[in-house]
Amino acid sequence: MKIELTERQYRYLLDLVYIGNWVLNSTREDDRIKEYDQVESLIFSHCLRHGMGKLVELYQGELIPSRAFANGGIHEAIESYEDVVFYEILAEELALRDLDGEPLTRENYGALMERIDTYLDEFDEHGTEHISIDLDE
């Protein structure tokens, strides 16, 4: 297969590949999905031919994204995404808890969404400052 990209598109592709592999493999420790690592290595290997050698380094015989790449702002994008997802999941879980075990229905869907929005507004304003958990129960 042959894909033609501009240099700028290729640079964006590097970000996408890195983020995708990070999502799939960063929490897997020794159980990494090697096929994704191999695709990442293949995509990053083209850096050498396109004047982007600083974005790749050799590690245990494999070309991987360099520390310069990883420290260049990509993790800020990942962290921003993780923050949004964290608060959205937390708001949804708290709103569902507030239903007192009632199954989600068409009738209570509006109330659930309103409750989620209320939690999200709270998190936007105060983060997790007002959340407390009684660990003595």
Side-chain angles (χ1 to χ4, degrees):
M1 175 183 292
K2 183 177 180 179
I3 299 174
E4 292 188 32
L5 302 170
T6 65
E7 297 283 326
R8 173 173 253 149
Q9 290 171 327
Y10 174 66
R11 182 61 187 82
Y12 292 150
L13 180 62
L14 295 174
D15 290 345
L16 293 170
V17 168
Y18 182 86
I19 290 169
N21 198 27
W22 176 267
V23 167
L24 292 164
N25 273 327
S26 67
T27 61
R28 298 182 69 85
E29 298 178 14
D30 293 335
D31 190 29
R32 292 180 67 87
I33 303 170
K34 303 246 185 282
E35 293 83 357
Y36 289 111
D37 286 334
Q38 291 166 350
V39 169
E40 181 185 66
S41 181
L42 173 65
I43 297 299
F44 271 80
S45 72
H46 295 279
C47 287
L48 299 173
R49 289 184 287 204
H50 294 280
M52 300 178 194
K54 292 180 181 179
L55 302 181
V56 67
E57 63 188 45
L58 194 61
Y59 176 75
Q60 295 182 348
E62 296 285 328
L63 285 173
I64 63 168
S66 68
R67 278 178 236 128
F69 176 88
N71 295 333
I74 195 71
H75 282 277
E76 285 81 358
I78 293 169
E79 288 170 10
S80 176
Y81 169 78
E82 289 173 339
D83 284 348
V84 169
V85 170
F86 168 75
Y87 285 117
E88 287 177 352
I89 290 171
L90 182 58
E92 183 178 343
E93 290 296 322
L94 290 171
L96 286 167
R97 178 205 62 189
D98 293 349
L99 289 177
D100 293 324
E102 292 179 43
L104 184 59
T105 64
R106 288 183 181 173
E107 289 76 28
N108 63 13
Y109 179 78
L112 175 72
M113 295 309 295
E114 186 176 311
R115 193 74 178 168
I116 289 171
D117 289 341
T118 300
Y119 280 119
L120 289 173
D121 290 344
E122 169 65 24
F123 299 148
D124 281 344
E125 190 170 334
H126 301 285
T128 57
E129 277 181 45
H130 295 159
I131 294 176
S132 64
I133 298 171
D134 186 359
L135 296 175
D136 294 328
E137 283 189 26

